[in-house]
Amino acid sequence: MTQNLSSTTEPLVRIRGLVFCREQRVIFDGIDIDIAQGKITAIMGPSGTGKTTLLKLIGGQLLPDAGSIEVAGDNVHQLKQRPLYRLRQRMGVLFQSGALLTDLSVFENVAFPLREHHRRLPESIVRRLVLMKLEAVGLRGAVALMPNALSGGMARRVALARAMVLDPMLMLYDEPFTGQDPISMGVLMRLIHQLNDASAMTSILVSHDVNETLQIADYLYLIADGQVMAHGTPQQIAATASPWVDQFIHGKPDGPVQYHYPAPARENDFYH
């Protein structure tokens, strides 16, 4: 099953025939996905379906068992070490936990990628870039704070500023709304949308927060059981007649998605 966006431009990320397994479990079974340039594409599905795994495959942290992943025309898993590192420098990642360095201030956390990848950059330029990114997420005033002094929403925004400081062409968001209160969630939604538009970036957003994701995504892929179950614009997804999509989008407890993990017949376990 091939999914192509109705666009004349080439996708920034092209996934074809992707197969990935963990031990005996098939995570992806020959899926095709296109990530359109300049858009926010969401990857959604029940817990444990491989959404975060897909981000790691795109970044080259994991190797597929079959198929290909191209980013900006480069086959990620055929790149040598240095070209792969250069490609990764053009990707920003907002980790689910935020992953701030606890012994560094807000300023030093955001400055860390600049110091790591541009060591000859004058300190005055580093400071200006860091303050610009913190201003963009509304936290320039928190520049001297330590991570333990931040609320959960503030920490996530600092992590977003750090992910953006190298002006990436591709942003990967791993469950950005998890654990956020409604106000923090609304702020993050607005920031993700505004930063993507202002920077002409391409964004991949992994989430199971249906309502929030439908509001900011330009295109969605719903994955489960190793397959792409549906794809389309938020309007197309909301209007689909698929029982699986209906169950997932509306959070229904009964439907094609099974409650029980596959197990032997009860009499084989309980009545020996």
Side-chain angles (χ1 to χ4, degrees):
M1 179 180 179
T2 301
Q3 298 87 23
N4 292 311
L5 301 182
S6 57
S7 172
T8 56
T9 60
E10 286 295 308
L12 183 66
V13 180
R14 184 193 300 272
I15 300 173
R16 291 293 179 268
L18 178 64
V19 176
F20 182 76
C21 304
R22 288 190 184 276
E23 298 179 350
Q24 302 301 315
R25 184 185 172 203
V26 178
I27 307 299
F28 300 119
D29 190 13
I31 65 170
D32 298 345
I33 291 177
D34 286 343
I35 305 297
Q37 295 189 43
K39 304 294 183 181
I40 300 175
T41 300
I43 308 295
M44 304 188 71
S47 297
T49 55
K51 302 184 295 295
T52 298
T53 297
L54 183 62
L55 296 185
K56 292 180 178 180
L57 285 160
I58 291 172
Q61 294 170 271
L62 297 174
L63 294 174
D65 295 296
S68 65
I69 299 176
E70 295 182 2
V71 177
D74 290 323
N75 189 317
V76 174
H77 303 97
Q78 291 182 357
L79 293 175
K80 300 294 185 181
Q81 188 177 64
R82 286 189 178 180
L84 177 60
Y85 283 173
R86 285 196 295 270
L87 180 62
R88 284 175 175 169
Q89 288 179 34
R90 303 176 69 193
M91 300 181 188
V93 182
L94 181 62
F95 299 98
Q96 183 174 342
S97 64
L100 295 181
L101 301 170
T102 57
D103 292 334
L104 298 183
S105 67
V106 165
F107 181 93
E108 291 300 334
N109 262 281
V110 179
F112 185 83
L114 292 169
R115 300 197 195 285
E116 182 70 18
H117 298 296
H118 301 285
R119 298 185 179 183
R120 297 182 180 180
L121 205 61
E123 187 61 26
S124 60
I125 301 298
V126 171
R127 178 174 176 79
R128 188 174 303 173
L129 290 172
V130 169
L131 293 179
M132 286 174 58
K133 298 307 180 184
L134 286 172
E135 177 72 16
V137 300
L139 290 176
R140 182 167 53 86
V143 65
L145 296 180
M146 298 299 289
N148 62 7
L150 304 174
S151 68
M154 291 171 68
R156 199 68 57 92
R157 283 190 279 157
V158 172
L160 178 56
R162 183 181 61 185
M164 294 283 298
V165 76
L166 294 178
D167 292 323
M169 67 173 179
L170 176 64
M171 271 294 298
L172 307 177
Y173 296 94
D174 187 8
E175 299 286 4
F177 310 125
T178 298
Q180 299 299 298
D181 63 71
I183 295 176
S184 295
M185 191 177 296
V187 169
L188 282 169
M189 288 170 57
R190 183 180 65 187
L191 282 173
I192 290 171
H193 192 274
Q194 289 179 342
L195 291 171
N196 196 83
D197 288 350
S199 304
M201 284 191 314
T202 301
S203 296
I204 302 176
L205 191 156
V206 159
S207 180
H208 57 254
D209 293 289
V210 174
N211 293 331
E212 291 74 20
T213 303
L214 287 175
Q215 290 182 54
I216 63 172
D218 298 299
Y219 205 85
L220 298 96
Y221 285 88
L222 305 185
I223 60 176
D225 299 326
Q227 300 291 327
V228 173
M229 307 298 286
H231 63 99
T233 64
Q235 295 76 18
Q236 291 169 334
I237 292 294
T240 185
S242 163
W244 187 95
V245 174
D246 179 65
Q247 182 187 6
F248 179 77
I249 292 296
H250 297 101
K252 297 180 178 179
D254 298 318
V257 179
Q258 298 298 310
Y259 170 72
H260 287 283
Y261 191 84
R266 283 192 293 271
E267 56 269 20
N268 293 341
D269 275 353
F270 290 110
Y271 305 114
H272 285 300

